[in-house]
Each structure stands twice: as C-alpha cells, then as structure tokens.
Amino acid sequence: PGSDQHDMEILISHNKVVCSIGRQVHKAVTLPSEVMQAVFCHFDHCDGRALCVLLRGSLVVFADSGSQYSVQLPSARHTKIWALTQGLLISLHSQTAGSQLLGLWHPLDEPQPVHTHTTADSMELTPLTDPSTKIVFSSLEHPFVLCYNSSTRKHSLWAVRTARTGRCDKRAAVSHSDLQVLVLEPRWEQRTASPESTSVFVAHNEADLPI
C-alpha cells in the first residue's frame, strides 16, 4: 500500500461514505442502506486498492478501476470486516449459526470459511470454528492478524496465507479448478488482561512480534 492510503480518511454518515486526504475528497459514494463499516483493502488480480463497504447482509466493493461488486453475506446479528495485505476477513455472529470467520480473496468469489491446521504438525486443514477466538487487529502491511481468546485470556498472533480447496466455482475471477481459501496459522501467544488492552499489547510487544 502506498503512503496515501495511510493518510486517507474514511467518513461514514448513515448511507454515505466519503474518502478524503485533508480537504480533498478522493471518493464519495451513496449506498441503498445504512453503512455499518468501511475499509480499504487489496484483492488478488485487482489493480489498485478497493473500498469495501459493509451493509446489513451484504458487502459492496468499489475498485479503483471503477468496477463495483456486490457480495451477499450470511445473515448475522453482528458482522465486522478486517482488511489484510491481500483479501478480507469477515467475522459474523448469529444466534443460530454462532460465530463464523470467512475469507474473501476476490469480490467475484463467494466468501469461504477460514481454515487452520487440525494439529500443529498436520498439513490437513479444517474450518476455524472456535467461538472464543476473536480478531482484534489486522495489518495491511504484514500477513498477520492478532486474536484474543476469551477462554484462555490470551492474545495470539496468526500468520495469514492461502490454500486451495478441491471445489470448483465457474464464477471465480481466476481460471483454476479449485477455490483459494484463507488459512490462519498460530505463531505466538501471550496472556493479557482483556481484549481492550490490544493497543497497549501491540505497542509494548511490536519489537518481539515475528514480522
């Protein structure tokens, strides 16, 4: 990401999103319903960055090229999006399905469950379904996310990579016989007081994080 992305400010007002640098408006969009969240991110095989706008039940992606995409999301009571170096993480929580963590590699693909290894020494992947693990920080510069586990009261650092499944999707933006999914691999953890201590935790431990 260029330095202008770090200087870009996103303002949300009901169903409007304005992106500006200082007093200069870079992009302004109006959505059909109330905006829940908006972030910048990069997608594979998409030039430039994309503005991802979260609505209730859907995600609207505005690419720098002018292309616009709409991604339907599962019904959830709470939804939050997290930008990565490539792609997007989507955390959902509903009373019926519980907690879900989905990854979006390209806005023409359907969000797929985020996977992790079944054991530390195994190459086999399984969907990450621990309801106690919540994402509290992601990075546009490094392929890592920081999580907090409310059961163990520990912060943990997870590496982000991609893997391929054996499922085929003809609508995929990339011509291949299977889908790319996001994989989280635990790298490091430390007991902390609460998820609210994340900013202090990152500041005090930044030099020791394996990035």
Side-chain angles (χ1 to χ4, degrees), residues 10-19 27-36 38 51 53 55:
I10 298 177
L11 300 176
I12 299 173
S13 177
H14 188 57
N15 67 329
K16 294 180 173 61
V17 179
V18 177
C19 308
K27 184 190 292 288
V29 295
T30 301
L31 287 302
S33 60
E34 183 180 3
V35 174
M36 313 303 293
L51 174 66
V53 181
L55 307 178

Side-chain angles (χ1 to χ4, degrees), residues 26-184:
H26 174 73
K27 184 190 292 288
V29 295
T30 301
L31 287 302
S33 60
E34 183 180 3
V35 174
M36 313 303 293
Q37 190 185 355
V39 300
F40 284 116
C41 79
H42 287 77
F43 287 110
D44 192 32
H45 297 277
C46 282
D47 293 332
R49 65 189 169 195
L51 174 66
C52 302
V53 181
L54 178 65
L55 307 178
R56 195 174 300 277
S58 66
L59 180 74
V60 182
V61 179
F62 299 91
D64 264 357
S65 63
S67 300
Q68 180 177 331
Y69 308 89
S70 181
V71 181
Q72 293 301 308
L73 301 177
S75 177
R77 185 174 181 180
H78 301 290
T79 306
K80 192 166 185 178
I81 53 179
W82 301 87
L84 305 171
T85 54
Q86 291 286 340
L88 198 70
L89 281 175
I90 307 166
S91 61
L92 307 100
H93 181 79
S94 65
Q95 291 182 340
T96 55
S99 297
Q100 290 180 281
L101 190 59
L102 305 178
L104 186 64
W105 188 243
H106 189 280
L108 286 179
D109 295 331
E110 292 184 2
Q112 299 294 320
V114 172
H115 287 64
T116 189
H117 294 287
T118 52
T119 64
D121 299 325
S122 173
M123 294 300 293
E124 184 179 353
L125 296 175
T126 184
L128 181 62
T129 57
D130 184 359
S132 301
T133 299
K134 310 292 183 185
I135 297 175
V136 292
F137 177 80
S138 66
S139 173
L140 282 168
E141 297 179 345
H142 304 288
F144 290 89
V145 295
L146 189 66
C147 298
Y148 180 78
N149 189 298
S150 56
S151 297
T152 62
R153 301 182 65 183
K154 288 183 178 180
H155 276 93
S156 56
L157 192 72
W158 298 66
V160 181
R161 67 173 183 87
T162 60
R164 291 191 173 186
T165 69
R167 296 172 58 190
C168 178
D169 189 343
K170 295 180 179 179
R171 296 173 300 170
V174 187
S175 178
H176 51 59
S177 61
D178 48 9
L179 288 176
Q180 295 192 73
V181 296
L182 289 171
V183 178
L184 296 187

Side-chain angles (χ1 to χ4, degrees), residues 185-206:
E185 300 176 335
R187 286 289 185 265
W188 182 83
E189 67 178 7
Q190 179 176 318
R191 184 178 294 276
T192 47
S194 67
E196 287 72 22
S197 61
T198 297
S199 58
V200 176
F201 172 80
V202 172
H204 286 180
N205 295 277
E206 186 173 9

